[in-house]
Amino acid sequence: MDEISLQQVWRTLDRYRGLIIATTTAGVVAAAAVAWFTTPVYRVDVLLAPVDVESGGALSGVASQFGGLAALAGVDLRGNSSGKDESIALLRSRALAGQLIEANDLLPLLFADEWDESAKAWRSGDPAEVPTLWDAYQSFDDDIRFVNENPKVGLVTLAVEWKDPALAKSWADQLVQRVNRETRERAIREAERSLSYLNQQLQKTEVVELRQAIFGLIENQTKQMMLANVREDYAFKVIDPAIVPDLDDPIRPRPLLLIALGATGGLLFGVLMALLLGARSGFESPVRRPQ
């Protein structure tokens, strides 16, 4: 019985082989058209290592005794884990993306379909339909910038995807530079405020133990400020820099993959249609073997 059923199915597929060939061909043509008319998108990756900045070190003992004083002075004695998390959060932040978008005037580029290049103005005169910086950030964060952390090895990958590979590399480089500059400047400002407070407290106390603790905190903050002033890669060190990918190697579309998927989809659709048509008209009777 199974042999007869399979024979009926096979004869039905053979009867509608023209339909199956047509749907398979249509799937290949449609996939090829999608691959041809879709604008290629390229991916640029930067491999980063969070920089270890000494913060507590030998002052861990001071933290247990004079942690309140350190907190008032804005001195972080918890180590570098919080600084690493803040740097990664900044790399993902809306503020950083907004700075990049504004500095490079990317709104017309991100919303090219709504921008009239010849008139240098938005096509719509309705302010409600004009793209905003918030719209640009959402597009940038959802479709262009991707940040992934590998906790096992402690490395961070920044990826930028865009249709112009040279621009994608430029944006990736700028994002890393801006994170390093922002964290460096922030560390200098915090160290300056902490030193100002600690020097004021040093003048107010005569207690030897407290003065020693303050001197230790001052030494720590002075060291932090010196490192921030001389180290350009303050938050992240570039392990594998961004390079411009070849024009024939986009991340999408992948023509061969699309064509394979189109052929498979067309073939399955044709087989399904053939079986449905065969069921409606009645499967051909199997060939009877001679007795």
Side-chain angles (χ1 to χ4, degrees), residues 69-254:
L69 175 63
L72 288 172
V75 179
D76 185 6
L77 300 179
R78 297 171 296 172
N80 188 52
S81 59
S82 62
K84 171 187 173 182
D85 294 338
E86 290 176 4
S87 298
I88 295 175
L90 180 59
L91 191 59
R92 293 185 171 122
S93 69
R94 179 178 67 252
L96 189 73
Q99 291 173 11
L100 180 72
I101 293 169
E102 288 186 308
N104 294 275
D105 192 22
L106 298 184
L107 273 172
L109 192 62
L110 297 177
F111 301 98
D113 293 340
E114 304 174 44
W115 176 257
D116 188 341
E117 183 62 27
S118 60
K120 300 295 181 183
W122 297 106
R123 299 184 187 279
S124 175
D126 186 357
E129 297 181 1
V130 174
T132 64
L133 187 60
W134 174 255
D135 297 326
Y137 161 71
Q138 288 186 310
S139 175
F140 195 86
D141 193 52
D142 293 340
D143 304 322
I144 300 175
R145 175 191 58 183
F146 306 92
V147 179
N148 297 306
E149 179 185 6
N150 188 335
K152 293 183 178 180
V153 296
L155 298 179
V156 177
T157 300
L158 167 66
V160 175
E161 297 180 2
W162 188 244
K163 54 190 176 183
D164 186 331
L167 272 181
K169 177 188 181 303
S170 175
W171 295 349
D173 291 339
Q174 290 183 57
L175 286 171
V176 176
Q177 293 168 5
R178 286 180 177 276
V179 168
N180 282 325
R181 183 170 64 247
E182 176 68 22
T183 53
R184 184 172 63 248
E185 293 175 352
R186 183 182 301 174
I188 293 173
R189 291 194 301 268
E190 292 176 353
E192 289 175 344
R193 288 196 298 267
S194 299
L195 287 172
S196 176
Y197 176 83
L198 290 170
N199 283 314
Q200 292 175 9
Q201 296 304 309
L202 186 63
Q203 296 174 4
K204 294 179 181 180
T205 183
E206 298 295 335
V207 179
V208 176
E209 292 81 1
L210 185 55
R211 290 178 64 87
Q212 289 177 346
I214 293 176
F215 278 128
L217 294 173
I218 289 175
E219 180 184 359
N220 176 267
Q221 290 304 290
T222 303
K223 183 179 180 180
Q224 294 288 349
M225 189 162 61
M226 290 176 59
L227 287 173
N229 278 296
V230 301
R231 180 183 291 171
E232 292 186 1
D233 298 335
Y234 189 78
F236 293 108
K237 181 179 180 180
V238 177
I239 303 299
D240 191 8
I243 60 173
V244 179
D246 293 336
L247 292 177
D248 60 352
D249 189 27
I251 188 174
R252 60 180 183 273
R254 296 285 187 179

Side-chain angles (χ1 to χ4, degrees), residues 13-24:
L13 294 179
D14 182 62
R15 192 197 332 174
Y16 292 103
R17 64 180 179 275
L19 172 64
I20 296 174
I21 294 173
T23 58
T24 303

